[in-house]
Amino acid sequence: MNVLELKNISKRYGAIQALDNVSLAIAPGEVVGLMGDNGAGKSTLVKVIAGNFAPTSGDILISEQKVEFHKPLDAQKAGIEVVYQDLAICNNLSAASNVFLGREPTRKIGPIKVVDYAFMRSKSAELFARLKSETRPRDLVHKMSGGQRQAVAIARTLLSDAKIVLMDEPTAAISVRQVAEVLNLIRQLSDHGIAVVLISHRMPDVFEVADKVVVLRRGELVADKKASQSSPEEITGLITGAIEHA
Amino acid sequence: MQKKDIGLGILIIVVGAIVYMHNPLFLSPINLGNTANLIGLFGLFAIGQGFVIMTGGIDLSVGSVIALLGVLFVDMVGKFGVPWPLAVAIIIGLGVLIGLAHGILITRFRLQPFVVTLCGLLIYRGIARGYTAESTAGFPFGSSYPQLEWLTIGRSFGVPHSFLAMLIVAAVMWVVLHHTVFGRHLCAVGKNEEAARFSGINTRFVTVMAYVICAVLASIAAIYFAMFTKSVQPSSHGNFYELYAIAAAVLGGCSLRGGEGSVIGIVLGAVLLQELQNLVNLLGIPSSLNFAVMGAVILLGVLADQQFAAYRTRKSTERALGLLQKP
């Protein structure tokens, strides 16, 4: 069973064909490396999956059910979470507050609803433990390393019981050691049966974690193969067009 | 309670001790009562200003709002005989409208808070002066409103009710800021509005509400000030008060970049400002110098705070390095 299936997705902006008949299937827990040069259609594809805009034609299926997303919230409700490149995190708040940002749990004291800090801390400690991250719930995010911030962003997706996590260049701006930490987080998600779509320019990162590599070139899907049966050289060729199809 | 609040508290005690040593009148019940009254009056709207500053905005119109609503309140109660509870409700309602107007101009029309509220400062002051034709608004001779006076300028056990009102407002706003979902969202919006929006927070609503809170607290302060001065001189009443509020909020640890602040800090900031005013009076410094003293102390305080924070970071880095070098 596939957790996400795209069937003949096309997207046009006026005369520009951003996506051309893209079909793709992702299984639960599968890590997919989505690669392509700038302007190849990676962002467009992610935005279609995340519900930012509808495709011009084609179908999206979640767990074999046809869905239509009119706004990002629809996609979120269907179990799709996006970890943005700039992380969408508030530096002045604690890790726990960030994990629960926009979904704060409350308890009632008499007639007033107050934020349940104790629950926020214990639940996010649990999530960090599941991610095997050493992030502490009380710590302020602005004092954290890039890897820990990623852990916070990813814990947010666990909180909502996501089925698919889309990650836009999560390793672009962080140190080598932190990259290893983030790749570990991705493996943890996968171990929990959550599919991850990893958009990245960094070939080594993709080959380290991805089960499958997908290459877009000028809106066309030119490769969809197991990472173990491919090589960075082949993928580079596919991205640039030196190799036509795989 | 944050570290900054404790530091500010210590500063207040130190300054108080110095003033007391030079002039024991500082701790006399009369002086304490009068100072507490002023702390209450200024603290009321400083808390509102703090909320706006935490969203990364600023409200420059506070002083003019206090003048305009003060004039209207005095006229409604004194001249037109509107029952005072109704007049209070109308004034607070006007405060809500002013706050909504500011908030909507800032969020929907994307104007800068500084510009919007600067125009507010000019407009409200202008209306107050135009409406009264520059004459002082006052209550008729011999009139009295016992309940209203008890609520505003009365005292219980020597504690002025304006101070108690400020404490109640501070307690409520403390819960709102630190223990409600709205307070969490306020801090998030102030620091990183985009992240807050991605997290599904209605950032416009949060920002508008901050301006409404500020204007409502300013309108309550307007009533207290009007009752305290008994007459409102439209061109000078409330002049520069927005700056007192901003000073109190900044002294209290609110960052003008948004996202940071505490209600206790703002109250302590208001206390320190009034203590400095008091210091000028009690130490026989010419009162014309009072702004200069206040400015100098705020500058020194902020500078010291920054240096101390830098020192702490240096120390903790050294400690961390020391641990690393130990085999």
Side-chain angles (χ1 to χ4, degrees):
Chain A
M1 193 181 93
N2 293 319
V3 63
L4 172 73
E5 199 172 344
L6 304 177
K7 280 188 179 161
N8 309 321
I9 295 281
S10 293
K11 176 73 191 173
R12 280 177 170 286
Y13 300 103
I16 298 164
Q17 184 91 35
L19 291 175
D20 191 2
N21 254 336
V22 173
S23 295
L24 178 64
I26 301 174
E30 194 170 31
V31 180
V32 178
L34 176 57
M35 306 204 71
D37 215 344
N38 292 342
K42 298 186 306 267
S43 302
T44 309
L45 187 61
V46 166
K47 281 178 179 156
V48 165
I49 300 172
N52 288 43
F53 41 66
T56 312
S57 63
D59 295 331
I60 303 174
L61 286 83
I62 302 269
S63 308
E64 323 269 282
Q65 296 276 320
K66 193 167 176 283
V67 288
E68 257 176 60
F69 299 147
H70 299 289
K71 52 181 187 293
L73 197 63
D74 296 343
Q76 231 173 43
K77 280 184 185 150
I80 296 173
E81 284 278 336
V82 187
V83 176
Y84 291 96
Q85 189 170 4
D86 42 19
L87 286 178
I89 269 180
C90 289
N91 280 333
N92 55 335
L93 304 180
S94 68
S97 291
N98 265 297
V99 170
F100 283 89
L101 193 61
R103 315 175 254 211
E104 288 81 356
T106 55
R107 66 196 162 88
K108 279 197 158 174
I109 296 184
I112 44 170
K113 276 205 243 169
V114 297
V115 176
D116 193 345
Y117 285 104
F119 176 77
M120 265 164 62
R121 288 197 201 102
S122 63
K123 180 76 186 173
S124 39
E126 188 191 312
L127 294 176
F128 292 138
R130 258 169 75 186
L131 291 170
K132 302 208 165 55
S133 165
E134 284 168 11
T135 311
R136 286 170 303 197
R138 280 170 191 269
D139 284 1
L140 293 180
V141 170
H142 76 87
K143 290 185 177 152
M144 289 183 180
S145 69
Q148 283 181 319
R149 285 154 181 265
Q150 289 285 350
V152 172
I154 292 166
R156 288 175 58 90
T157 67
L158 284 182
L159 186 66
S160 60
D161 267 325
K163 291 178 195 152
I164 304 152
V165 175
L166 308 173
M167 299 179 88
D168 190 2
E169 297 278 4
T171 54
I174 57 180
S175 73
V176 174
R177 194 184 338 177
Q178 290 164 13
V179 167
E181 218 172 303
V182 171
L183 297 181
N184 249 329
L185 290 171
I186 293 173
R187 281 191 206 103
Q188 293 296 332
L189 286 177
S190 161
D191 287 348
H192 287 99
I194 298 166
V196 179
V197 177
L198 171 65
I199 300 143
S200 181
H201 273 101
R202 293 169 51 107
M203 202 67 76
D205 298 350
V206 171
F207 272 89
E208 179 137 9
V209 287
D211 303 307
K212 186 158 97 171
V213 183
V214 170
V215 179
L216 283 175
R217 190 171 69 235
R218 291 185 189 171
E220 264 183 273
L221 194 104
V222 292
D224 179 355
K225 64 192 295 184
K226 283 207 154 54
S228 53
Q229 290 164 10
S230 184
S231 66
E233 292 74 27
E234 185 190 22
I235 298 297
T236 308
L238 285 160
I239 291 171
T240 56
I243 305 172
E244 221 18 73
H245 260 278
Chain B
M1 197 129 163
Q2 298 169 356
K3 255 186 209 143
K4 262 187 180 171
D5 299 344
I6 296 169
L8 196 54
I10 293 172
L11 184 61
I12 289 168
I13 292 169
V14 170
V15 172
I18 294 171
V19 178
Y20 177 70
M21 280 188 286
H22 284 84
N23 190 343
L25 275 181
F26 177 68
L27 286 185
S28 68
I30 294 176
N31 186 54
L32 284 183
N34 288 340
T35 310
N37 177 43
L38 290 172
I39 291 169
L41 294 173
F42 283 89
L44 270 175
F45 61 88
I47 294 170
Q49 181 73 257
F51 271 65
V52 166
I53 288 177
M54 276 178 251
T55 67
I58 199 152
D59 191 338
L60 297 176
S61 70
V62 172
S64 296
V65 167
I66 287 173
L68 175 59
L69 296 184
V71 164
L72 292 177
F73 183 73
V74 169
D75 257 15
M76 267 194 282
V77 175
K79 207 168 168 185
F80 302 117
V82 177
W84 69 263
L86 180 62
V88 168
I90 293 173
I91 292 297
I92 292 175
L94 285 172
V96 172
L97 288 182
I98 289 171
L100 276 178
H102 291 167
I104 288 168
L105 284 169
I106 289 160
T107 55
R108 295 275 161 180
F109 294 88
R110 304 195 169 279
L111 300 179
Q112 286 179 347
F114 190 98
V115 175
V116 170
T117 57
L118 179 66
C119 295
L121 177 147
L122 299 169
I123 293 169
Y124 308 138
R125 176 74 60 187
I127 295 175
R129 290 170 62 173
Y131 166 72
T132 55
E134 299 279 17
S135 65
T136 303
F139 294 105
F141 186 72
S143 60
S144 95
Y145 314 90
Q147 290 141 317
L148 178 61
E149 279 164 8
W150 184 84
L151 273 176
T152 51
I153 52 176
R155 295 188 179 201
S156 297
F157 309 107
V159 182
H161 289 169
S162 55
F163 185 71
L164 293 179
M166 188 274 289
L167 286 186
I168 293 167
V169 165
V172 171
M173 297 324 276
W174 181 81
V175 172
V176 168
L177 180 63
H178 299 291
H179 288 278
T180 66
V181 173
F182 172 75
R184 296 288 78 205
H185 290 179
L186 189 81
C187 291
V189 168
K191 195 68 182 186
N192 190 344
E193 196 188 343
E194 205 175 32
R197 206 172 36 243
F198 278 138
S199 306
I201 294 172
N202 187 345
T203 58
R204 281 178 174 172
F205 171 78
V206 171
T207 309
V208 171
M209 279 312 289
Y211 284 91
V212 170
I213 287 171
C214 184
V216 165
L217 290 183
S219 68
I220 294 172
I223 296 168
Y224 273 90
F225 271 108
M227 291 307 292
F228 175 57
T229 57
K230 277 292 171 23
S231 63
V232 178
Q233 214 283 318
S235 63
S236 66
H237 187 79
N239 257 345
F240 286 129
Y241 282 11
E242 55 281 340
L243 301 182
Y244 283 90
I246 294 166
V250 170
L251 268 176
C254 295
S255 161
L256 286 176
R257 287 186 212 98
E260 275 162 51
S262 86
V263 173
I264 295 173
I266 299 166
V267 172
L268 291 177
V271 171
L272 183 61
L273 281 182
Q274 291 313 316
E275 193 180 31
L276 291 174
Q277 293 264 32
N278 200 220
L279 169 150
V280 170
N281 293 333
L282 290 180
L283 299 192
I285 301 169
S287 63
S288 44
L289 275 177
N290 115 20
F291 276 167
V293 169
M294 224 186 290
V297 171
I298 295 173
L299 193 60
L300 285 175
V302 174
L303 198 65
D305 179 57
Q306 193 138 21
Q307 292 301 315
F308 187 61
Y311 170 79
R312 266 204 315 250
T313 339
R314 221 166 34 238
K315 277 285 155 200
S316 68
T317 326
E318 274 168 21
R319 233 189 353 263
L321 277 178
L323 282 178
L324 276 181
Q325 278 156 1
K326 238 178 254 168

